[in-house]
Amino acid sequence: MKILSGLNLNEIEQITDELGASKFRARQIHNWIYLKSVREIDEMTDLSVKFREELKKAATVSDTKIKVKQESSDGTLKYLLEFPDGECVETVLMRFDNRANLTACVSSQVGCAVNCSFCATGKRGFIRNLSYKEIIEQVLTIQRDTGLKVTNIVFMGQGEPLLNLDNVLKAMEIFNENFQIGARRITVSTSGIIPGIARLAENDMQSTLAISLHAHNHETRAKLMQIENKYPMPELKKALKNYIEKTGRRITIEYLLIKDLNDTLESAKQLVNYIHDLKCNVNLIPYNPTEKNDYQKPSGNSIMRFKSLLEQSGKKVTVRLERGADIDAACGQLRGKVS
Ligand code: SAH
Ligand code: SF4
């Protein structure tokens, strides 16, 4: 049985060829899958009943199940999706009242090997990579369930996308070609995997690269993120400069703000020192509490003070709105299990 979700037009044509149907039928099926997000072959109403019956013998729309769906008071939806092998990941859909954008936050791996001290995903360790089909299936499932069209994608769910780069790049290509979601509406967030950044530079990636920097110096970063020992800040900076030079793109520096740890005047100064000659915007992420660590959220005042210190250096700074915290859908709260 073939799964239609995730197939490109050529692959769907192979199925219609085998059934002795015209290439036009393949185009119709492709539209039903990617643009109209049907759940069942029977919903493909411009195909004859007879052809649908034949198609149903050869293929089905999807084999991914929605195990749990939760809705936050702010409208954010969180899905726990189950793949045929029983592994689960979370996918979050964020709606911002003042914008028409619908942003899907997708996972790239089951678990994560990087194991940052502040993140719930890392606590599970690494289970496996997602295939590109499983990555795009997350967006298709959201579209099928809500009847809405996703307009933006962020690789900020579970997993480290640059440690599963083949599948992430292939998924991005499909988002581009089949979903008509432009590269500029896709953001890839990484903990700073240097070989991956180098590969994206060579590929001339036109999507936004976001770097989870989170600290103003080596010592603090190493405390927060073990990966700092493997890919330390000076080397990371070289990789980022190379990326900016090769692609011409502005990057995003993500900075997790933790009370008294990296939200002081001195940390702001050192951060400015690190990023002043990088073409970047800064996205401040107030820490979201997760179990099993002692970190605390900074106060609203200290967030604003930190923001204005960075702005004085001429950088554009945004503070990430917390979405879906009441259903554990906010950054760093995804664990990929039911309770
Ligand atoms: N692995 C990638 C992408 C997924 S995490 C990465 O680390 O960049 C998406 C973002 O959520 C990252 O910036 C991550 O550092 C942040 N995050 C993780 N735990 C968090 C927490 N408890 N509070 C706020 N943000 C967190
Ligand atoms: Fe992995 Fe990102 Fe979580 Fe770190 S923050 S453990 S890299 S998912």
Side-chain angles (χ1 to χ4, degrees):
M1 189 63 86
K2 296 239 168 61
I3 308 296
L4 295 172
S5 291
L7 299 185
N8 62 27
L9 191 57
N10 280 341
E11 291 164 330
I12 298 175
E13 277 172 4
Q14 281 171 19
I15 298 176
T16 49
D17 282 354
E18 278 164 27
L19 296 175
S22 71
K23 297 221 183 306
F24 181 65
R25 297 281 165 264
R27 166 61 64 191
Q28 288 173 305
I29 296 169
H30 186 273
N31 282 347
W32 284 114
I33 296 289
Y34 293 104
L35 301 179
K36 299 185 203 150
S37 309
V38 291
R39 291 168 221 231
E40 307 283 346
I41 288 172
D42 274 333
E43 291 171 57
M44 302 182 180
T45 47
D46 57 3
L47 303 177
S48 71
V49 176
K50 185 164 165 281
F51 179 63
R52 275 186 255 156
E53 289 307 319
E54 282 169 27
L55 185 60
K56 280 196 289 191
K57 284 183 205 144
T60 178
V61 171
S62 160
D63 57 1
T64 302
K65 275 195 254 153
I66 298 178
K67 206 161 175 189
V68 184
K69 174 184 172 184
Q70 287 170 281
E71 180 158 7
S72 157
S73 53
D74 65 22
T76 300
L77 293 174
K78 180 170 89 166
Y79 295 88
L80 182 70
L81 303 182
E82 185 179 29
F83 299 117
D85 70 349
E87 289 298 347
C88 296
V89 294
E90 280 154 314
T91 307
V92 178
L93 179 69
M94 294 168 285
R95 298 182 257 205
F96 296 96
D97 296 338
N98 52 349
R99 296 184 231 161
N101 292 352
L102 272 182
T103 302
C105 175
V106 299
S107 296
S108 55
Q109 298 180 317
V110 184
C112 181
V114 181
N115 196 10
C116 304
S117 62
F118 46 77
C119 173
T121 302
K123 298 283 162 290
R124 274 189 82 190
F126 172 70
I127 316 273
R128 70 169 173 85
N129 279 332
L130 295 185
S131 68
Y132 68 88
K133 289 190 182 178
E134 290 169 328
I135 296 173
I136 63 178
E137 188 60 31
Q138 297 172 55
V139 177
L140 284 174
T141 305
I142 289 180
Q143 294 193 161
R144 284 197 291 265
D145 186 63
T146 58
L148 301 168
K149 179 101 181 43
V150 167
T151 59
N152 294 61
I153 293 181
V154 294
F155 280 87
M156 295 189 188
Q158 285 155 267
E160 170 47 61
L162 267 47
L163 292 178
N164 184 18
L165 199 45
D166 287 342
N167 283 304
V168 166
L169 286 173
K170 177 86 179 163
M172 283 166 74
E173 194 184 302
I174 296 176
F175 286 140
N176 227 240
E177 287 170 11
N178 297 3
F179 290 70
Q180 294 160 12
I181 299 176
R184 308 230 164 166
R185 290 178 169 269
I186 301 177
T187 299
V188 180
S189 174
T190 177
S191 56
I193 309 295
I194 292 179
I197 297 169
R199 200 170 145 203
L200 293 177
E202 291 310 317
N203 269 18
D204 198 12
M205 181 175 82
Q206 289 304 303
S207 297
T208 301
L209 179 65
I211 302 292
S212 293
L213 189 67
H214 300 339
H216 49 283
N217 62 27
H218 172 75
E219 200 193 352
T220 312
R221 193 165 193 263
K223 218 186 271 172
L224 291 171
M225 306 170 78
Q226 299 167 15
I227 196 84
E228 170 68 13
N229 294 316
K230 188 158 187 197
Y231 302 121
M233 285 173 74
E235 253 104 277
L236 179 60
K237 183 154 171 182
K238 276 188 218 149
L240 296 177
K241 282 199 141 171
N242 174 56
Y243 175 87
I244 292 166
E245 198 178 302
K246 291 257 165 70
T247 62
R249 306 272 303 147
R250 184 180 299 279
I251 62 170
T252 300
I253 295 290
E254 299 171 283
Y255 191 92
L256 184 66
L257 274 174
I258 302 174
K259 186 172 181 235
D260 299 334
L261 195 106
N262 63 1
D263 67 342
T264 61
L265 175 63
E266 184 53 31
S267 12
K269 275 193 200 149
Q270 290 188 30
L271 176 61
V272 167
N273 192 31
Y274 187 79
I275 63 173
H276 78 277
D277 55 349
L278 287 177
K279 187 173 157 191
C280 67
N281 295 328
V282 181
N283 192 212
L284 297 175
I285 316 174
Y287 170 70
N288 292 314
T290 62
E291 51 193 287
K292 291 190 197 130
N293 66 47
D294 302 328
Y295 303 136
Q296 281 170 18
K297 218 184 178 75
S299 69
N301 269 348
S302 88
I303 298 171
M304 284 309 134
R305 188 190 56 187
F306 201 89
K307 179 171 186 263
S308 68
L309 286 169
L310 295 186
E311 280 169 341
Q312 282 164 26
S313 77
K315 294 293 180 201
K316 191 175 154 224
V317 186
T318 47
V319 178
R320 187 173 297 173
L321 282 176
E322 182 186 84
R323 310 295 298 181
D326 54 344
I327 55 168
D328 277 356
C331 294
Q333 296 183 322
L334 303 182
R335 284 177 303 160
K337 51 182 188 166
V338 186
S339 59

